[in-house]
Amino acid sequence: MGEVGVRVSRPAAVRLAPVLLGQGVRVRRRIPVLPEAAGPRAGSVGAGGPLAPAVLGESTAAGVGVERIEDGLATRLAHELADRGGRRVGWRVSARTGATAREARSELLAAAAAEPSDVAVVVLGVNDTLRLTGRAGWRRDVAAMVAALRAVQPPDGRVVLAGVPDLGAFPALPRPLRTVLGRHSRALDRELRALARAPGVLHAPVPTLTGADALATDGFHPGATSYRDWAAALADRLTP
């Protein structure tokens, strides 16, 4: 099950390993695999002074849960920033379903950092939670990505670390699997909060997903309404 980096999760995961593995297999069989959102991974919206956000991450950064990239997180965030600031927002995405922080660092970061960005949003943590990635390795990989993204930003640029969703609140996961993963997701999110103490780095908690259409058909990824609300929350964090 991978390295368990949270003290409270280590004994629980080891003691419950047979149960957790069995539940994990059943969940994977039950939850449908949804495709990434269709459409270009870059574009622009609005008019005015330019703003260049980059989004780096896992399936939610790639828009899994909606059919069109226009309804995904990156595009909705671009619209929010354009509407609030009266600017032309040229957005781009470097993301892949199933990516962990280590994989994003080695395989996705180069594209995200290939051009300067005013804002970079890092959306990771669910896959690291599912794999019980250790806290030290998680923090090291995210910190390296933050440094690389900040290096290609202007002095007033910002890197936003999207909070790790609390998997303990996901109804698609049975207990005790949900309990163990919930503890671990919260621990990884605390590491992001610690990294956000650095200049130019922000932490943005994921808003609570509510409503009948909050989740996609797999009961795991956000739906269109949730991506819209999440983008608005990120824009609130960037434009208080």
Side-chain angles (χ1 to χ4, degrees):
M1 294 183 65
E3 179 187 359
V4 182
V6 185
R7 290 181 182 177
V8 71
S9 296
R10 184 187 297 272
V14 172
R15 184 173 63 253
L16 298 171
V19 175
L20 299 180
L21 288 171
Q23 288 186 334
V25 170
R26 289 191 292 273
V27 167
R28 288 179 66 88
R29 289 174 178 170
R30 186 177 74 247
I31 295 179
V33 178
L34 300 181
E36 297 178 354
R41 294 296 180 96
S44 64
V45 298
L51 182 70
V55 179
L56 166 67
E58 55 191 7
S59 58
T60 46
V64 172
V66 293
E67 294 183 359
R68 307 179 308 155
I69 198 72
E70 290 87 347
D71 296 319
L73 181 63
T75 315
R76 295 313 313 166
L77 175 60
H79 280 282
E80 289 284 345
L81 295 175
D83 291 344
R84 296 175 188 218
R87 307 182 69 176
R88 179 177 60 81
V89 180
W91 57 273
R92 65 184 191 275
V93 175
S94 179
R96 194 191 73 222
T97 298
T100 63
R102 179 163 299 180
E103 292 165 348
R105 178 184 177 185
S106 63
E107 301 170 22
L108 302 173
L109 176 61
E115 301 177 20
S117 65
D118 301 288
V119 175
V121 182
V122 179
V123 186
L124 291 165
V126 171
N127 294 300
D128 286 280
T129 299
L130 296 175
R131 299 188 188 188
L132 293 178
T133 300
R135 287 182 300 175
W138 159 256
R139 180 165 178 163
R140 181 171 57 251
D141 288 326
V142 175
M145 286 185 279
V146 168
L149 293 167
R150 288 287 291 142
V152 297
Q153 290 184 328
D156 60 348
R158 285 161 293 177
V159 173
V160 181
L161 302 176
V164 181
D166 183 357
L167 295 194
F170 277 50
L173 299 174
R175 299 189 188 278
L177 180 65
R178 191 196 309 183
T179 301
V180 172
L181 294 180
R183 289 171 176 170
H184 198 60
S185 63
R186 293 190 293 272
L188 295 186
D189 191 59
R190 286 193 293 271
E191 297 297 330
L192 295 185
R193 292 177 183 272
L195 289 172
R197 295 171 188 153
V201 184
L202 304 174
H203 176 273
V206 177
T208 302
L209 305 183
T210 59
D213 59 348
L215 296 176
T217 55
D218 63 355
F220 197 78
H221 287 89
T225 300
S226 294
Y227 276 126
R228 184 189 63 207
D229 294 344
W230 189 3
L234 286 172
D236 286 342
R237 191 74 178 90
L238 288 164
T239 56

